[in-house]
Structure formats: C-alpha cells, structure tokens
C-alpha cells in the first residue's frame, strides 16, 4: 500500500462560503463513512450503490476505506460541525485491469447537493487519476439519475445508453 498522499489534502470554499476540506479517505474513517452512508436518503443510496442498503456491511466498509491510493483512491469532503468532522461527500475511482483506465463513483449528502462540493471533488479526483497514470475515466449511471447525467456531461463525459441495459448510461472521458 502506498503512503497516505498528504499532497492531495485541500482546503476549498463552497458556493455559500462554507469551508470544506478535501482529503483522501483513511482506514480510520470507517465510522465517518458509515455515518455518511446512513445519513443519505434512500434515493441517494440507491443512485450511488444501485441497491437498497441502509448501511455498509463490514466487508464493504473495509473495501471503501482501506485503499491503496493508486489503483483505488477515494476523496472525502469534510466540514466541521460542533467541533466534529462530518463527511458531506465522497468521490472515488477504481482502476481497471489494464491499470490505465478507471471507473468513478460519487455521492453527496442530500443537504449539500447543489453546494459545489461535487464539482470540487470530481475535479480533484480527475487530476489525481491523471497524475497516477489513468488515461480514461468512466461510470455507469442509472438512466433515471438526471442530475448525475447532467453533471457528467458538464464535466466533459460523453454519455451513451448502455446497449446491454437501457436503464443505464455509460459515461466516458479521456484524461
């Protein structure tokens, strides 16, 4: 496993002026990640995980937080609330078998959708993927997830209906 990439820690400002820290996830963030997923609306959880889970099972939680920072990178958006870290978003990529393409996923707490945090996370994730040798990024998006389809288009992803599953869009972007 690579060392923690402290160079990816960033302080940013959301549209409303709120400060947010963008940083790679750590293994000790398991409680933060679990709370984040539990706090998502059922609709947001379904759009992210394409299932009706209410919380992450232990194996999935470990998989999402114990990462190598090269082939699997997750960036979390953290705010301070009453002196405590609160995760309001996460964007991640996982490299494919060739090691030069990756699939991304993103989830934003319902309260923070439209705040600018998704754009900040994705631009940082794209830069980090490029710096780690990724040449292509893709995602599979539910056709009913209009906001994500629009967002991916704004980020320069080409979108096509999945020929094998008309309920899905395939988003692809060269890095």
């Amino acid at each position: 496993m690579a060392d923690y990439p402290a160079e990816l820690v960033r302080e940013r400002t959301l549209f409303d002026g709120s400060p947010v820290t963008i940083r790679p996830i750590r293994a000790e963030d398991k409680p933060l990640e679990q709370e984040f997923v539990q706090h998502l609306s059922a609709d947001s959880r379904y759009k992210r995980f394409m299932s009706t889970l209410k919380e992450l099972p232990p194996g999935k939680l470990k998989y999402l937080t114990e990462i190598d920072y090269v082939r699997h990178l997750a960036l979390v958006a953290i705010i301070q609330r009453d002196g405590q870290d609160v995760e309001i978003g996460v964007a991640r990529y996982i490299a494919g078998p060739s090691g030069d393409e990756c699939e991304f996923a993103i989830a934003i707490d319902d309260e923070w959708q439209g705040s600018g945090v998704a754009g900040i996370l994705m631009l940082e994730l794209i830069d980090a993927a490029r710096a780690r040798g990724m040449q292509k990024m893709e995602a599979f998006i539910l056709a009913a997830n209009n906001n994500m389809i629009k967002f991916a288009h704004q980020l320069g992803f080409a979108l096509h209906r999945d020929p094998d599953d008309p309920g899905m869009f395939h988003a692809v972007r060269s890095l």
Side-chain angles (χ1 to χ4, degrees):
M1 180 184 297
D3 291 335
Y4 185 79
E7 73 278 3
L8 295 179
V9 177
R10 306 272 192 276
E11 298 299 324
R12 296 290 186 252
T13 304
L14 302 178
F15 293 150
D16 70 356
S18 298
V20 63
T21 300
I22 307 299
R23 65 166 175 79
I25 203 165
R26 300 182 295 241
E28 57 268 25
D29 288 330
K30 283 179 184 67
L32 208 60
E33 182 73 2
Q34 186 71 275
E35 188 174 313
F36 169 74
V37 169
Q38 290 171 340
H39 191 257
L40 292 172
S41 68
D43 184 56
S44 289
R45 280 194 307 271
Y46 184 77
K47 286 176 178 170
R48 166 54 184 93
F49 296 103
M50 298 180 196
S51 76
T52 56
L53 62 82
K54 290 185 176 17
E55 67 179 26
L56 297 169
K60 182 78 167 177
L61 187 60
K62 179 178 179 176
Y63 174 75
L64 294 176
T65 56
E66 295 182 21
I67 60 175
D68 69 12
Y69 302 113
V70 177
R71 294 188 55 79
H72 183 176
L73 177 67
L75 299 176
V76 290
I78 304 291
I79 61 163
Q80 290 291 307
R81 184 175 288 153
D82 301 324
Q84 299 291 319
D85 284 351
V86 176
E87 182 179 332
I88 63 168
V90 59
R92 75 179 60 244
Y93 76 73
I94 300 171
S98 71
D100 67 353
E101 91 285 341
C102 59
E103 185 173 341
F104 82 88
I106 184 169
I108 305 298
D109 184 281
D110 295 76
E111 178 184 339
W112 294 90
Q113 291 178 15
S115 69
V117 71
I120 292 169
L121 279 169
M122 279 304 298
L123 292 174
E124 296 289 345
L125 188 71
I126 288 167
D127 286 349
R130 188 181 299 117
R132 285 159 175 73
M134 303 298 155
Q135 296 176 18
K136 181 175 85 170
M137 185 175 273
E138 65 182 345
F140 294 91
I141 305 168
L142 290 169
N145 193 346
N146 294 324
N147 288 342
M148 186 61 196
I149 291 167
K150 180 180 174 187
F151 180 62
H153 181 72
Q154 289 170 338
L155 288 170
F157 285 82
L159 291 139
H160 307 283
R161 275 214 191 259
D162 185 330
D164 298 325
D165 184 352
M168 299 291 287
F169 272 89
H170 184 211
V172 181
R173 176 187 161 158
S174 293
L175 301 179

